[in-house]
Amino acid sequence: MSYSAEQLLAQIASLSEAIAFQSGTASSELAGQMVSVLARDPSLVARFMTDGSEMFLEGVFRPEVGRLSWYGQHG
């Protein structure tokens, strides 16, 4: 199944807000992490649209596996 840009952005925004509320993490940081990983591997989009936040628990959305740069403790 394919998803529109609007659907994907709505899912990213919704999940980042919900996770941030529960964890106290910045939602913009979480949204960026989702975009980074999905940009690296667009084949994950369909799974992301159904599984969502479970992908964080499974370790799919780790900063070091994304396409965009991130701040780590090592600089």
Side-chain angles (χ1 to χ4, degrees), residues 37-75:
V37 172
L38 294 172
R40 179 193 51 84
D41 189 355
S43 70
L44 293 172
V45 170
R47 182 174 167 214
F48 171 69
M49 295 301 284
T50 59
D51 294 349
S53 60
E54 291 177 25
M55 295 174 76
F56 275 96
L57 298 173
E58 295 169 3
V60 175
F61 286 114
R62 296 185 328 269
E64 65 272 16
V65 299
R67 178 175 171 175
L68 306 174
S69 62
W70 57 284
Y71 288 110
Q73 289 182 343
H74 63 303

